[in-house]
mmCIF file of all heavy atoms in Angstrom:
data_model
loop_
_atom_site.group_PDB
_atom_site.id
_atom_site.type_symbol
_atom_site.label_atom_id
_atom_site.label_comp_id
_atom_site.label_asym_id
_atom_site.label_seq_id
_atom_site.Cartn_x
_atom_site.Cartn_y
_atom_site.Cartn_z
ATOM 1 N N PHE A 1 53.265 -11.674 86.441
ATOM 2 C CA PHE A 1 53.147 -13.102 86.725
ATOM 3 C C PHE A 1 51.729 -13.460 87.155
ATOM 4 O O PHE A 1 51.194 -14.496 86.769
ATOM 5 C CB PHE A 1 54.145 -13.537 87.785
ATOM 6 C CG PHE A 1 55.575 -13.630 87.305
ATOM 7 C CD1 PHE A 1 56.620 -13.688 88.205
ATOM 8 C CD2 PHE A 1 55.883 -13.661 85.956
ATOM 9 C CE1 PHE A 1 57.933 -13.779 87.774
ATOM 10 C CE2 PHE A 1 57.187 -13.744 85.516
ATOM 11 C CZ PHE A 1 58.220 -13.808 86.428
ATOM 12 N N HIS A 2 51.104 -12.598 87.954
ATOM 13 C CA HIS A 2 49.734 -12.854 88.394
ATOM 14 C C HIS A 2 48.770 -12.847 87.200
ATOM 15 O O HIS A 2 47.869 -13.686 87.117
ATOM 16 C CB HIS A 2 49.280 -11.831 89.437
ATOM 17 C CG HIS A 2 49.638 -12.189 90.823
ATOM 18 N ND1 HIS A 2 49.090 -13.260 91.481
ATOM 19 C CD2 HIS A 2 50.499 -11.626 91.700
ATOM 20 C CE1 HIS A 2 49.591 -13.345 92.688
ATOM 21 N NE2 HIS A 2 50.466 -12.367 92.850
ATOM 22 N N ARG A 3 48.982 -11.927 86.288
ATOM 23 C CA ARG A 3 48.121 -11.881 85.090
ATOM 24 C C ARG A 3 48.308 -13.131 84.240
ATOM 25 O O ARG A 3 47.354 -13.717 83.749
ATOM 26 C CB ARG A 3 48.419 -10.637 84.268
ATOM 27 C CG ARG A 3 47.936 -9.375 84.921
ATOM 28 C CD ARG A 3 48.239 -8.178 84.093
ATOM 29 N NE ARG A 3 47.866 -6.968 84.808
ATOM 30 C CZ ARG A 3 47.679 -5.816 84.230
ATOM 31 N NH1 ARG A 3 47.827 -5.698 82.928
ATOM 32 N NH2 ARG A 3 47.336 -4.768 84.938
ATOM 33 N N GLU A 4 49.559 -13.521 84.060
ATOM 34 C CA GLU A 4 49.828 -14.728 83.277
ATOM 35 C C GLU A 4 49.260 -15.960 83.977
ATOM 36 O O GLU A 4 48.705 -16.847 83.334
ATOM 37 C CB GLU A 4 51.331 -14.886 83.060
ATOM 38 C CG GLU A 4 51.679 -16.027 82.142
ATOM 39 C CD GLU A 4 53.161 -16.112 81.832
ATOM 40 O OE1 GLU A 4 53.928 -15.219 82.225
ATOM 41 O OE2 GLU A 4 53.540 -17.097 81.182
ATOM 42 N N LEU A 5 49.391 -16.000 85.291
ATOM 43 C CA LEU A 5 48.864 -17.119 86.070
ATOM 44 C C LEU A 5 47.349 -17.221 85.908
ATOM 45 O O LEU A 5 46.812 -18.315 85.690
ATOM 46 C CB LEU A 5 49.240 -16.933 87.539
ATOM 47 C CG LEU A 5 48.925 -18.057 88.499
ATOM 48 C CD1 LEU A 5 49.642 -19.338 88.100
ATOM 49 C CD2 LEU A 5 49.317 -17.666 89.915
ATOM 50 N N THR A 6 46.671 -16.108 85.972
ATOM 51 C CA THR A 6 45.209 -16.101 85.793
ATOM 52 C C THR A 6 44.846 -16.605 84.402
ATOM 53 O O THR A 6 43.939 -17.434 84.254
ATOM 54 C CB THR A 6 44.662 -14.679 85.995
ATOM 55 O OG1 THR A 6 44.997 -14.247 87.312
ATOM 56 C CG2 THR A 6 43.160 -14.634 85.820
ATOM 57 N N PHE A 7 45.560 -16.142 83.393
ATOM 58 C CA PHE A 7 45.308 -16.581 82.025
ATOM 59 C C PHE A 7 45.520 -18.091 81.884
ATOM 60 O O PHE A 7 44.695 -18.800 81.306
ATOM 61 C CB PHE A 7 46.215 -15.825 81.051
ATOM 62 C CG PHE A 7 46.172 -16.358 79.654
ATOM 63 C CD1 PHE A 7 45.086 -16.094 78.840
ATOM 64 C CD2 PHE A 7 47.205 -17.137 79.168
ATOM 65 C CE1 PHE A 7 45.039 -16.593 77.539
ATOM 66 C CE2 PHE A 7 47.158 -17.641 77.876
ATOM 67 C CZ PHE A 7 46.078 -17.367 77.067
ATOM 68 N N LEU A 8 46.637 -18.595 82.430
ATOM 69 C CA LEU A 8 46.934 -20.023 82.311
ATOM 70 C C LEU A 8 45.910 -20.885 83.038
ATOM 71 O O LEU A 8 45.549 -21.961 82.565
ATOM 72 C CB LEU A 8 48.343 -20.316 82.835
ATOM 73 C CG LEU A 8 49.495 -19.805 81.982
ATOM 74 C CD1 LEU A 8 50.822 -20.096 82.661
ATOM 75 C CD2 LEU A 8 49.461 -20.402 80.584
ATOM 76 N N LYS A 9 45.430 -20.404 84.176
ATOM 77 C CA LYS A 9 44.413 -21.174 84.907
ATOM 78 C C LYS A 9 43.112 -21.253 84.125
ATOM 79 O O LYS A 9 42.457 -22.291 84.097
ATOM 80 C CB LYS A 9 44.179 -20.566 86.290
ATOM 81 C CG LYS A 9 45.316 -20.866 87.254
ATOM 82 C CD LYS A 9 45.040 -20.299 88.627
ATOM 83 C CE LYS A 9 46.134 -20.670 89.608
ATOM 84 N NZ LYS A 9 45.862 -20.147 90.951
ATOM 85 N N ARG A 10 42.736 -20.165 83.478
ATOM 86 C CA ARG A 10 41.522 -20.184 82.644
ATOM 87 C C ARG A 10 41.705 -21.104 81.441
ATOM 88 O O ARG A 10 40.804 -21.857 81.073
ATOM 89 C CB ARG A 10 41.174 -18.779 82.179
ATOM 90 C CG ARG A 10 40.664 -17.899 83.274
ATOM 91 C CD ARG A 10 40.345 -16.526 82.759
ATOM 92 N NE ARG A 10 39.889 -15.669 83.845
ATOM 93 C CZ ARG A 10 39.850 -14.364 83.777
ATOM 94 N NH1 ARG A 10 40.210 -13.744 82.673
ATOM 95 N NH2 ARG A 10 39.427 -13.654 84.805
ATOM 96 N N LEU A 11 42.868 -21.034 80.831
ATOM 97 C CA LEU A 11 43.161 -21.889 79.692
ATOM 98 C C LEU A 11 43.163 -23.362 80.104
ATOM 99 O O LEU A 11 42.681 -24.222 79.367
ATOM 100 C CB LEU A 11 44.511 -21.493 79.097
ATOM 101 C CG LEU A 11 44.933 -22.160 77.805
ATOM 102 C CD1 LEU A 11 43.923 -21.866 76.698
ATOM 103 C CD2 LEU A 11 46.315 -21.671 77.407
ATOM 104 N N ARG A 12 43.673 -23.652 81.289
ATOM 105 C CA ARG A 12 43.724 -25.022 81.783
ATOM 106 C C ARG A 12 42.323 -25.612 81.933
ATOM 107 O O ARG A 12 42.100 -26.781 81.619
ATOM 108 C CB ARG A 12 44.465 -25.076 83.119
ATOM 109 C CG ARG A 12 44.539 -26.474 83.716
ATOM 110 C CD ARG A 12 45.236 -26.492 85.037
ATOM 111 N NE ARG A 12 44.556 -25.641 85.990
ATOM 112 C CZ ARG A 12 44.994 -25.386 87.204
ATOM 113 N NH1 ARG A 12 46.130 -25.897 87.618
ATOM 114 N NH2 ARG A 12 44.320 -24.607 88.006
ATOM 115 N N VAL A 13 41.366 -24.819 82.388
ATOM 116 C CA VAL A 13 39.994 -25.294 82.546
ATOM 117 C C VAL A 13 39.446 -25.772 81.204
ATOM 118 O O VAL A 13 38.850 -26.848 81.110
ATOM 119 C CB VAL A 13 39.096 -24.192 83.149
ATOM 120 C CG1 VAL A 13 37.632 -24.576 83.072
ATOM 121 C CG2 VAL A 13 39.500 -23.913 84.584
ATOM 122 N N ARG A 14 39.677 -24.991 80.172
ATOM 123 C CA ARG A 14 39.208 -25.382 78.838
ATOM 124 C C ARG A 14 40.000 -26.568 78.295
ATOM 125 O O ARG A 14 39.461 -27.448 77.638
ATOM 126 C CB ARG A 14 39.308 -24.223 77.864
ATOM 127 C CG ARG A 14 38.320 -23.136 78.158
ATOM 128 C CD ARG A 14 38.342 -22.091 77.100
ATOM 129 N NE ARG A 14 37.351 -21.074 77.407
ATOM 130 C CZ ARG A 14 37.037 -20.111 76.589
ATOM 131 N NH1 ARG A 14 37.627 -20.031 75.424
ATOM 132 N NH2 ARG A 14 36.132 -19.225 76.925
ATOM 133 N N ALA A 15 41.288 -26.580 78.570
ATOM 134 C CA ALA A 15 42.142 -27.642 78.043
ATOM 135 C C ALA A 15 41.784 -29.000 78.647
ATOM 136 O O ALA A 15 41.894 -30.022 77.974
ATOM 137 C CB ALA A 15 43.609 -27.326 78.321
ATOM 138 N N ARG A 16 41.354 -29.024 79.890
ATOM 139 C CA ARG A 16 40.988 -30.302 80.508
ATOM 140 C C ARG A 16 39.866 -30.984 79.748
ATOM 141 O O ARG A 16 39.799 -32.201 79.700
ATOM 142 C CB ARG A 16 40.594 -30.100 81.962
ATOM 143 C CG ARG A 16 41.774 -29.837 82.833
ATOM 144 C CD ARG A 16 41.388 -29.710 84.275
ATOM 145 N NE ARG A 16 42.505 -29.131 84.985
ATOM 146 C CZ ARG A 16 43.060 -29.687 86.030
ATOM 147 N NH1 ARG A 16 42.595 -30.794 86.514
ATOM 148 N NH2 ARG A 16 44.081 -29.104 86.613
ATOM 149 N N GLN A 17 38.988 -30.210 79.165
ATOM 150 C CA GLN A 17 37.873 -30.775 78.401
ATOM 151 C C GLN A 17 38.326 -31.224 77.008
ATOM 152 O O GLN A 17 37.912 -32.279 76.535
ATOM 153 C CB GLN A 17 36.754 -29.742 78.257
ATOM 154 C CG GLN A 17 36.147 -29.325 79.566
ATOM 155 C CD GLN A 17 35.223 -28.135 79.410
ATOM 156 O OE1 GLN A 17 35.076 -27.579 78.327
ATOM 157 N NE2 GLN A 17 34.595 -27.733 80.501
ATOM 158 N N ASP A 18 39.156 -30.419 76.364
ATOM 159 C CA ASP A 18 39.515 -30.673 74.974
ATOM 160 C C ASP A 18 40.808 -31.453 74.786
ATOM 161 O O ASP A 18 40.924 -32.249 73.857
ATOM 162 C CB ASP A 18 39.626 -29.354 74.212
ATOM 163 C CG ASP A 18 38.312 -28.584 74.195
ATOM 164 O OD1 ASP A 18 37.259 -29.230 74.286
ATOM 165 O OD2 ASP A 18 38.360 -27.348 74.101
ATOM 166 N N CYS A 19 41.782 -31.200 75.633
ATOM 167 C CA CYS A 19 43.100 -31.818 75.449
ATOM 168 C C CYS A 19 43.778 -32.020 76.809
ATOM 169 O O CYS A 19 44.560 -31.174 77.250
ATOM 170 C CB CYS A 19 43.947 -30.930 74.552
ATOM 171 S SG CYS A 19 45.526 -31.652 74.147
ATOM 172 N N PRO A 20 43.474 -33.133 77.474
ATOM 173 C CA PRO A 20 44.015 -33.369 78.822
ATOM 174 C C PRO A 20 45.544 -33.332 78.900
ATOM 175 O O PRO A 20 46.098 -32.886 79.899
ATOM 176 C CB PRO A 20 43.484 -34.755 79.179
ATOM 177 C CG PRO A 20 42.277 -34.937 78.337
ATOM 178 C CD PRO A 20 42.568 -34.187 77.058
ATOM 179 N N LEU A 21 46.226 -33.770 77.852
ATOM 180 C CA LEU A 21 47.687 -33.752 77.875
ATOM 181 C C LEU A 21 48.220 -32.320 77.938
ATOM 182 O O LEU A 21 49.173 -32.031 78.662
ATOM 183 C CB LEU A 21 48.246 -34.473 76.644
ATOM 184 C CG LEU A 21 49.757 -34.658 76.601
ATOM 185 C CD1 LEU A 21 50.222 -35.454 77.825
ATOM 186 C CD2 LEU A 21 50.156 -35.372 75.334
ATOM 187 N N PHE A 22 47.600 -31.419 77.216
ATOM 188 C CA PHE A 22 47.984 -30.007 77.266
ATOM 189 C C PHE A 22 47.708 -29.426 78.649
ATOM 190 O O PHE A 22 48.472 -28.599 79.152
ATOM 191 C CB PHE A 22 47.239 -29.223 76.189
ATOM 192 C CG PHE A 22 47.616 -27.772 76.116
ATOM 193 C CD1 PHE A 22 48.928 -27.386 75.908
ATOM 194 C CD2 PHE A 22 46.662 -26.789 76.247
ATOM 195 C CE1 PHE A 22 49.282 -26.046 75.841
ATOM 196 C CE2 PHE A 22 47.001 -25.447 76.190
ATOM 197 C CZ PHE A 22 48.313 -25.080 75.980
ATOM 198 N N ALA A 23 46.646 -29.887 79.297
ATOM 199 C CA ALA A 23 46.324 -29.420 80.649
ATOM 200 C C ALA A 23 47.434 -29.789 81.624
ATOM 201 O O ALA A 23 47.757 -29.015 82.522
ATOM 202 C CB ALA A 23 44.988 -29.998 81.106
ATOM 203 N N VAL A 24 48.043 -30.946 81.436
ATOM 204 C CA VAL A 24 49.158 -31.354 82.298
ATOM 205 C C VAL A 24 50.337 -30.412 82.117
ATOM 206 O O VAL A 24 50.982 -29.998 83.094
ATOM 207 C CB VAL A 24 49.571 -32.815 82.005
ATOM 208 C CG1 VAL A 24 50.852 -33.180 82.723
ATOM 209 C CG2 VAL A 24 48.457 -33.770 82.393
ATOM 210 N N THR A 25 50.619 -30.044 80.890
ATOM 211 C CA THR A 25 51.698 -29.090 80.617
ATOM 212 C C THR A 25 51.396 -27.745 81.267
ATOM 213 O O THR A 25 52.285 -27.113 81.850
ATOM 214 C CB THR A 25 51.870 -28.908 79.096
ATOM 215 O OG1 THR A 25 52.158 -30.173 78.517
ATOM 216 C CG2 THR A 25 52.985 -27.946 78.785
ATOM 217 N N LEU A 26 50.149 -27.323 81.183
ATOM 218 C CA LEU A 26 49.755 -26.067 81.819
ATOM 219 C C LEU A 26 49.915 -26.147 83.330
ATOM 220 O O LEU A 26 50.320 -25.175 83.970
ATOM 221 C CB LEU A 26 48.307 -25.714 81.464
ATOM 222 C CG LEU A 26 48.081 -25.244 80.031
ATOM 223 C CD1 LEU A 26 46.602 -25.095 79.758
ATOM 224 C CD2 LEU A 26 48.802 -23.943 79.775
ATOM 225 N N ASP A 27 49.603 -27.303 83.916
ATOM 226 C CA ASP A 27 49.796 -27.482 85.361
ATOM 227 C C ASP A 27 51.248 -27.237 85.752
ATOM 228 O O ASP A 27 51.533 -26.593 86.757
ATOM 229 C CB ASP A 27 49.376 -28.889 85.801
ATOM 230 C CG ASP A 27 47.885 -29.074 85.852
ATOM 231 O OD1 ASP A 27 47.153 -28.073 85.974
ATOM 232 O OD2 ASP A 27 47.438 -30.235 85.783
ATOM 233 N N GLU A 28 52.171 -27.748 84.938
ATOM 234 C CA GLU A 28 53.598 -27.552 85.216
ATOM 235 C C GLU A 28 53.971 -26.073 85.102
ATOM 236 O O GLU A 28 54.709 -25.544 85.942
ATOM 237 C CB GLU A 28 54.434 -28.392 84.254
ATOM 238 C CG GLU A 28 54.266 -29.877 84.462
ATOM 239 C CD GLU A 28 54.899 -30.714 83.365
ATOM 240 O OE1 GLU A 28 55.566 -30.129 82.474
ATOM 241 O OE2 GLU A 28 54.720 -31.931 83.396
ATOM 242 N N ASP A 29 53.465 -25.405 84.078
ATOM 243 C CA ASP A 29 53.746 -23.977 83.902
ATOM 244 C C ASP A 29 53.177 -23.155 85.055
ATOM 245 O O ASP A 29 53.822 -22.227 85.555
ATOM 246 C CB ASP A 29 53.171 -23.469 82.583
ATOM 247 C CG ASP A 29 53.880 -24.042 81.368
ATOM 248 O OD1 ASP A 29 55.008 -24.557 81.524
ATOM 249 O OD2 ASP A 29 53.302 -23.976 80.275
ATOM 250 N N ILE A 30 51.982 -23.510 85.487
ATOM 251 C CA ILE A 30 51.342 -22.809 86.602
ATOM 252 C C ILE A 30 52.153 -22.994 87.869
ATOM 253 O O ILE A 30 52.378 -22.038 88.623
ATOM 254 C CB ILE A 30 49.888 -23.291 86.770
ATOM 255 C CG1 ILE A 30 49.029 -22.760 85.625
ATOM 256 C CG2 ILE A 30 49.319 -22.889 88.123
ATOM 257 C CD1 ILE A 30 47.649 -23.379 85.528
ATOM 258 N N HIS A 31 52.634 -24.203 88.092
ATOM 259 C CA HIS A 31 53.448 -24.470 89.281
ATOM 260 C C HIS A 31 54.731 -23.629 89.263
ATOM 261 O O HIS A 31 55.116 -23.054 90.289
ATOM 262 C CB HIS A 31 53.784 -25.957 89.363
ATOM 263 C CG HIS A 31 54.633 -26.322 90.520
ATOM 264 N ND1 HIS A 31 54.164 -26.278 91.817
ATOM 265 C CD2 HIS A 31 55.925 -26.708 90.598
ATOM 266 C CE1 HIS A 31 55.139 -26.629 92.631
ATOM 267 N NE2 HIS A 31 56.220 -26.896 91.918
ATOM 268 N N GLN A 32 55.369 -23.523 88.108
ATOM 269 C CA GLN A 32 56.596 -22.727 87.996
ATOM 270 C C GLN A 32 56.316 -21.245 88.260
ATOM 271 O O GLN A 32 57.111 -20.565 88.923
ATOM 272 C CB GLN A 32 57.229 -22.906 86.628
ATOM 273 C CG GLN A 32 57.836 -24.264 86.422
ATOM 274 C CD GLN A 32 58.393 -24.442 85.031
ATOM 275 O OE1 GLN A 32 58.237 -23.588 84.161
ATOM 276 N NE2 GLN A 32 59.052 -25.565 84.802
ATOM 277 N N LEU A 33 55.198 -20.746 87.745
ATOM 278 C CA LEU A 33 54.848 -19.343 87.987
ATOM 279 C C LEU A 33 54.556 -19.090 89.459
ATOM 280 O O LEU A 33 54.949 -18.061 90.010
ATOM 281 C CB LEU A 33 53.617 -18.961 87.164
ATOM 282 C CG LEU A 33 53.870 -18.322 85.826
ATOM 283 C CD1 LEU A 33 52.558 -18.041 85.115
ATOM 284 C CD2 LEU A 33 54.657 -17.050 85.958
ATOM 285 N N GLU A 34 53.873 -20.021 90.091
ATOM 286 C CA GLU A 34 53.591 -19.867 91.521
ATOM 287 C C GLU A 34 54.874 -19.845 92.337
ATOM 288 O O GLU A 34 54.993 -19.066 93.289
ATOM 289 C CB GLU A 34 52.665 -20.990 92.000
ATOM 290 C CG GLU A 34 51.254 -20.863 91.482
ATOM 291 C CD GLU A 34 50.357 -22.044 91.778
ATOM 292 O OE1 GLU A 34 50.867 -23.157 92.025
ATOM 293 O OE2 GLU A 34 49.137 -21.845 91.753
ATOM 294 N N LYS A 35 55.853 -20.665 91.942
ATOM 295 C CA LYS A 35 57.152 -20.643 92.620
ATOM 296 C C LYS A 35 57.857 -19.307 92.409
ATOM 297 O O LYS A 35 58.447 -18.752 93.340
ATOM 298 C CB LYS A 35 58.028 -21.795 92.129
ATOM 299 C CG LYS A 35 57.641 -23.148 92.693
ATOM 300 C CD LYS A 35 58.426 -24.298 92.111
ATOM 301 C CE LYS A 35 59.900 -24.087 92.101
ATOM 302 N NZ LYS A 35 60.654 -25.248 91.571
ATOM 303 N N ALA A 36 57.781 -18.777 91.196
ATOM 304 C CA ALA A 36 58.420 -17.486 90.898
ATOM 305 C C ALA A 36 57.777 -16.366 91.705
ATOM 306 O O ALA A 36 58.476 -15.490 92.227
ATOM 307 C CB ALA A 36 58.326 -17.190 89.406
ATOM 308 N N ILE A 37 56.466 -16.399 91.829
ATOM 309 C CA ILE A 37 55.764 -15.388 92.629
ATOM 310 C C ILE A 37 56.176 -15.494 94.096
ATOM 311 O O ILE A 37 56.399 -14.481 94.759
ATOM 312 C CB ILE A 37 54.238 -15.516 92.457
ATOM 313 C CG1 ILE A 37 53.838 -15.099 91.034
ATOM 314 C CG2 ILE A 37 53.494 -14.682 93.494
ATOM 315 C CD1 ILE A 37 52.401 -15.418 90.673
ATOM 316 N N GLU A 38 56.309 -16.702 94.577
ATOM 317 C CA GLU A 38 56.743 -16.904 95.962
ATOM 318 C C GLU A 38 58.157 -16.346 96.172
ATOM 319 O O GLU A 38 58.431 -15.711 97.189
ATOM 320 C CB GLU A 38 56.703 -18.389 96.323
ATOM 321 C CG GLU A 38 57.112 -18.684 97.746
ATOM 322 C CD GLU A 38 56.201 -18.060 98.784
ATOM 323 O OE1 GLU A 38 54.995 -17.916 98.520
ATOM 324 O OE2 GLU A 38 56.693 -17.712 99.875
ATOM 325 N N GLU A 39 59.034 -16.556 95.212
ATOM 326 C CA GLU A 39 60.399 -16.018 95.312
ATOM 327 C C GLU A 39 60.384 -14.492 95.329
ATOM 328 O O GLU A 39 61.153 -13.869 96.063
ATOM 329 C CB GLU A 39 61.255 -16.531 94.155
ATOM 330 C CG GLU A 39 61.608 -17.993 94.260
ATOM 331 C CD GLU A 39 62.404 -18.488 93.068
ATOM 332 O OE1 GLU A 39 62.941 -17.659 92.303
ATOM 333 O OE2 GLU A 39 62.481 -19.713 92.905
ATOM 334 N N ILE A 40 59.522 -13.903 94.517
ATOM 335 C CA ILE A 40 59.399 -12.442 94.511
ATOM 336 C C ILE A 40 58.902 -11.956 95.870
ATOM 337 O O ILE A 40 59.391 -10.952 96.392
ATOM 338 C CB ILE A 40 58.467 -11.977 93.382
ATOM 339 C CG1 ILE A 40 59.150 -12.189 92.032
ATOM 340 C CG2 ILE A 40 58.072 -10.509 93.553
ATOM 341 C CD1 ILE A 40 58.253 -11.939 90.840
ATOM 342 N N ASN A 41 57.956 -12.674 96.449
ATOM 343 C CA ASN A 41 57.452 -12.290 97.776
ATOM 344 C C ASN A 41 58.563 -12.342 98.813
ATOM 345 O O ASN A 41 58.676 -11.462 99.657
ATOM 346 C CB ASN A 41 56.288 -13.201 98.194
ATOM 347 C CG ASN A 41 55.017 -12.903 97.436
ATOM 348 O OD1 ASN A 41 54.823 -11.815 96.933
ATOM 349 N ND2 ASN A 41 54.165 -13.898 97.331
ATOM 350 N N VAL A 42 59.402 -13.370 98.743
ATOM 351 C CA VAL A 42 60.507 -13.503 99.682
ATOM 352 C C VAL A 42 61.511 -12.366 99.489
ATOM 353 O O VAL A 42 61.962 -11.749 100.452
ATOM 354 C CB VAL A 42 61.203 -14.887 99.526
ATOM 355 C CG1 VAL A 42 62.512 -14.933 100.297
ATOM 356 C CG2 VAL A 42 60.274 -16.001 99.975
#
């Protein structure tokens, strides 16, 4: 999950410049991954 999260964050940086709508979708995916990581920590 951490590896995927890092990848999505890098992709989001590029997407904000080229396709802002896709960046919003990535934000949602990143939020879901962060929640999953938090659940694993718990």
Side-chain angles (χ1 to χ4, degrees):
F1 286 164
H2 273 293
R3 289 180 185 199
E4 186 175 354
L5 187 60
T6 301
F7 171 75
L8 289 177
K9 285 182 177 181
R10 289 180 182 163
L11 187 60
R12 179 182 59 185
V13 169
R14 290 186 179 188
R16 286 183 194 235
Q17 297 170 357
D18 299 333
C19 185
L21 186 59
F22 183 57
V24 171
T25 301
L26 288 173
D27 285 337
E28 294 170 5
D29 292 342
I30 288 169
H31 179 69
Q32 289 177 354
L33 266 178
E34 289 172 338
K35 284 175 49 178
I37 291 170
E38 181 63 32
E39 288 177 16
I40 289 172
N41 287 336
V42 169

